[in-house]
Amino acid sequence: MQDNPEELLPGLGNILQAAVQYGLDVDDLLHTFAEQSAGFGDYEDAGNISHYFSYCYHLALYHERAGRLSEALDWTIQSLMLAHQSRHDGNFKRCLALFESLREGVTEEQARRYHKAVAECLG
């Protein structure tokens, strides 16, 4: 992935999906690519937004399984916004369900961001 930067986003998404499915620890790998992955949100084309959704959603699940509820909620809210942006109702519902399952750990700031994201659906 280091030699092919265009494969980093889908590659990390697939790795996170496998980590969630098989209970793997990929913290070191995520740390290695932290700087590059910080720019994933800048993509605007549909293909990369789809890959970014998968990355964010699976990162939320990964953090949830690791007991890091605050990080899981942050990534769930990001996923929710991406699902709405891409008009993917199925993904949006998955994010709503995940958020509700994590609601016990929500901070005031996260609740505000969540309500703002959901309110955008009404407008």
Side-chain angles (χ1 to χ4, degrees), residues 13-101:
N14 289 335
I15 288 168
L16 282 165
Q17 187 174 3
V20 168
Q21 185 173 354
Y22 298 108
L24 306 173
D25 181 340
V26 295
D27 285 347
D28 289 342
L29 182 71
L30 293 173
H31 180 71
T32 299
F33 291 106
E35 189 174 315
Q36 295 95 319
S37 65
F40 288 167
D42 297 337
Y43 293 125
E44 295 182 358
D45 62 284
N48 278 323
I49 289 173
S50 176
H51 286 301
Y52 188 46
F53 169 83
S54 180
Y55 169 82
C56 293
Y57 182 77
H58 288 99
L59 190 55
L61 292 174
Y62 178 75
H63 283 304
E64 184 226 356
R65 294 213 174 33
R68 298 184 288 254
L69 291 184
S70 184
E71 291 89 344
L73 282 157
D74 285 338
W75 288 107
T76 300
I77 295 165
Q78 180 66 27
S79 301
L80 184 77
M81 292 188 298
L82 289 165
H84 173 65
Q85 178 184 348
S86 62
R87 302 182 192 278
H88 196 291
D89 292 343
N91 286 344
F92 191 82
K93 287 183 209 177
R94 287 173 39 201
C95 294
L96 286 175
L98 181 57
F99 182 88
E100 291 302 324
S101 75

